[in-house]
Structure formats: structure tokens, C-alpha cells
Amino acid sequence: MKKGILGLITILMVCSCSEKKENGTKAPTRVQTQIVSSASSDGSHTYVGIIEEREATAVSFTGMGVVKRVLVSEGKAVSKGQLIAEMDDTQARNLLDGAEAQMSQANDALQRYKMLHDNGSLPEVQWVEIQSKVAQAKSQLEVAKKNLADCQLKAPVSGIIGKKLIGSGETALPSQAVVTILDITSVKVKVSIPEAEISVITSSTPSNISVEAAQKQVCGGNIEKGIQADALTHTYDVRINVQNSDRKLLPGMVANVSFPTSVSKGLKGISLPVTSVQKAADGSMFVWVVGKDNTAHRAKVSIGNTLGNYVAITEGLEMGQRVVTEGYQKLSEGTKVVF
């Protein structure tokens, strides 16, 4: 009995010691890191942009009426002059029939009065009056023809149907868009640039554009710079012209845009995310670096220009060092880390 109790006490002591050992060992802190290399000091910086059409045309009827049919759908290519939609033309045809009848009557009267005028038996005032009636009837006939023609909506330009805004059976109002036609033979990539960085971007700054949705990478062309900053974000919109002959780049797609040349002028040397650089109590700047034993250590650094989300590191780091970029909030000197 005593042996059994002694054995039980021994087991409990071993388990207690084991638990103390496990509880006393702190698990490594998980972080994300970046190795300092030429890749992090090449000066390139990526922005997020949105693809826009080169030009959008809203197509509408000039008069009011019920839409009889719409012949196109969103995403369909159309050519200039192609029929897009038709409006109920019953009233327009009736008006045209009346105008044609008036024109015929006026021409008949003109022929009869001409004989009298040529014989000198018609006063000049009446001759001028009948000529005016003929001109008036002709004008009304032209208006009626135009009203009938306006019941057909034709594409003023070639492009892609962006949105269909009115369907069959709906009443269209004058100048109310029925469809929009987008010209995407070339597109523009809209990017918002912080005010501190806009000065290094010019109309000829080279850019590299990657659009994952279209699985396409292209070089950007001429850049259009906005001159008015957003009041809230203090950013300027720039638009990069891109050729799109295969029409794979569509409005609304997200693009990653990099400006290697402009950024290399703004950031010289090693560049790291701004958030990875911390400020010590004495005002000095430092980053957390990971040693060969996977422990975190402070490394005092000197910083240069800031560009976007990146800052230039002018002193304090060497190629090959591993810098903590995320998870540094939980670190202290000598903390074990995993990445």
C-alpha cells in the first residue's frame, strides 16, 4: 500500500515539474520579414490603379417615346452607324403622311398659280404668298422626316456597349441615355499619387502595369497629371495611356502600377515599409532584425526620403539582413521569432 502511494506521489511530482517546464517556455513570436537585398533597394514602388475607358459616349433619343426594341447587349461590339434601338414611330409616320399631303397640295397650287403669274393675271402679292406656303410645307416635310428618322437610334461612334440603361417597353425622355458606348482600343490606368510624390512623376515617366484579371503585363505610355488634389486624401490622380488593341483590358479592372524611374529618384539605397521603422524614446530610429539564432534585435538606422509606403534607409543595415516588417509590436530584445 505504501509503495502504491509513493509511486503515485512520484508520478504527480514528475507531471508537475513537466508542466512547469512547458509553461515556463514561451512560444516563438510569429512575424513577417524582408531580406535586405538589391530587390529591396532598386527603387521601384507599386501603386494600385483602376482601368478606365479612353472615352465614353452616352447615346440617347432626341425626342420622347416608348422604346420598341433594343438591339444590343452589354459587352457587344458596335460599329459607327449601326442600329442600336428603335422607338414606336406610329405618331411620327402619321405626321409625315400629313406633311407629304400638304407638300403635294402646295406644289399643285404652285403649278396653277404659276400659269396665272406667267400670263400676268396674278398679283405679285399672291404669287409671293403661294411661294411662302410651298416653302413652309417643304420645311414641315423635312421636320417630319427627321422625326421619323430619330425614332431609330444609331451608334455615333464605334466601340463596346458599356451599360444598357433602358429596355423595351420603357419610355425614353429626350437626352436620356439608352446605352453607353466605350472606346477601349486604348485605355487609361487611373492611379492616385500622394502629394509628396507627384513632383517626381512627369508625362514621360516610364511605368510597368500588371493586370491580373486579364493576365497581361504592359508598359505604360504618356501620363496625364491631375492638377487638383483630393481634399481628404491629399492625392493627385494621374492617368496612364495604354494601348489595348486586343481589348483584353476592360474598365474597372484592378492594375498594379510601378514607376521605377521616378521612385529611384525619390528613394536611394535600401527601402523598407514605413511601418517597419520604429522610433525609440531618445528620438532615434530603429528596426527589428532577426539574428542567426532566430532572435530579434534592435538595429539603429538612419532614414532618408519617404515615398508612398516606403522609406529610404541610408545607414544601419547591410545586404542579407532579415528585417521584421509585420508583428514587431510584440517584440523585445532577444525575443524568439518564427517567420
Side-chain angles (χ1 to χ4, degrees):
M1 184 67 178
K2 291 182 178 179
K3 290 183 177 179
I5 294 174
L6 183 60
L8 179 60
I9 292 173
T10 303
I11 293 173
L12 291 174
M13 290 178 64
V14 171
C15 291
S16 177
C17 292
S18 177
E19 288 180 2
K20 289 181 179 179
K21 184 177 181 180
E22 289 178 1
N23 292 336
T25 303
K26 186 177 179 181
T29 302
R30 182 167 294 279
V31 296
Q32 292 189 20
T33 63
Q34 174 180 315
I35 296 178
V36 178
S37 65
S38 58
S40 63
S41 59
D42 62 0
S44 64
H45 181 53
T46 301
Y47 300 82
V48 176
I50 298 293
I51 303 293
E52 293 182 344
E53 67 278 358
R54 186 178 75 87
E55 187 174 0
T57 303
V59 186
S60 59
F61 289 104
T62 57
M64 184 177 72
V66 177
V67 177
K68 185 163 61 176
R69 58 176 182 162
V70 180
L71 304 173
V72 295
S73 57
E74 294 182 0
K76 181 179 179 181
V78 295
S79 302
K80 183 178 180 180
Q82 180 178 335
L83 183 63
I84 293 176
E86 289 182 319
M87 184 185 291
D88 186 356
D89 60 0
T90 303
Q91 183 178 2
R93 288 190 179 278
N94 291 336
L95 291 175
L96 178 60
D97 290 342
E100 288 177 340
Q102 288 184 359
M103 186 75 251
S104 178
Q105 184 181 10
N107 284 331
D108 182 65
L110 180 66
Q111 292 298 323
R112 287 186 285 106
Y113 278 100
K114 185 177 185 304
M115 295 176 60
L116 296 175
H117 179 265
D118 292 344
N119 293 331
S121 55
L122 182 70
E124 191 66 25
V125 174
Q126 291 186 0
W127 176 242
V128 172
E129 182 180 349
I130 190 60
Q131 286 182 318
S132 298
K133 288 183 177 180
V134 171
Q136 184 178 4
K138 184 178 180 181
S139 176
Q140 292 178 347
L141 179 61
E142 293 300 322
V143 171
K145 287 181 178 179
K146 185 178 186 305
N147 288 338
L148 180 60
D150 287 344
C151 290
Q152 291 189 332
L153 186 62
K154 297 182 179 180
V157 293
S158 299
I160 303 292
I161 299 297
K163 288 187 178 181
K164 186 171 71 171
L165 304 172
I166 295 181
S168 302
E170 297 185 66
T171 300
L173 300 176
S175 301
Q176 180 183 9
V178 177
V179 298
T180 56
I181 301 178
L182 308 180
D183 182 357
I184 59 172
T185 52
S186 64
V187 295
K188 297 180 180 181
V189 183
K190 176 185 173 182
V191 185
S192 295
I193 305 296
E195 60 181 10
E197 307 165 23
I198 192 67
S199 61
V200 298
I201 296 178
T202 68
S203 61
S204 59
T205 298
S207 60
N208 296 315
I209 300 169
S210 174
V211 183
E212 185 176 353
Q215 297 183 344
K216 188 173 181 179
Q217 292 185 346
V218 296
C219 293
N222 185 65
I223 295 177
E224 303 170 10
K225 292 176 60 175
I227 60 172
Q228 186 171 359
D230 185 277
L232 296 177
T233 61
H234 297 284
T235 58
Y236 289 84
D237 288 340
V238 301
R239 287 174 170 83
I240 309 167
N241 290 279
V242 178
Q243 291 300 315
N244 187 35
S245 56
D246 57 4
R247 296 181 178 179
K248 287 185 177 181
L249 300 179
L250 301 177
M253 286 184 173
V254 177
N256 291 320
V257 182
S258 60
F259 298 98
T261 301
S262 65
V263 174
S264 64
K265 291 179 181 178
L267 295 180
K268 296 182 179 180
I270 298 169
S271 60
L272 292 174
V274 172
T275 53
S276 65
V277 181
Q278 308 297 305
K279 190 173 184 179
D282 61 359
S284 62
M285 311 303 291
F286 70 93
V287 297
W288 290 102
V289 296
V290 180
K292 295 181 179 179
D293 56 352
N294 286 350
T295 57
H297 304 281
R298 288 190 179 193
K300 187 176 180 180
V301 296
S302 298
I303 62 174
N305 295 334
T306 301
L307 194 59
N309 297 325
Y310 284 77
V311 61
I313 306 298
T314 57
E315 292 181 5
L317 292 179
E318 297 179 357
M319 295 296 177
Q321 286 186 292
R322 185 180 294 274
V323 178
V324 177
T325 56
E326 292 186 27
Y328 46 80
Q329 298 89 341
K330 301 178 181 180
L331 298 181
S332 59
E333 188 67 27
T335 300
K336 284 283 187 179
V337 297
V338 290
F339 43 86

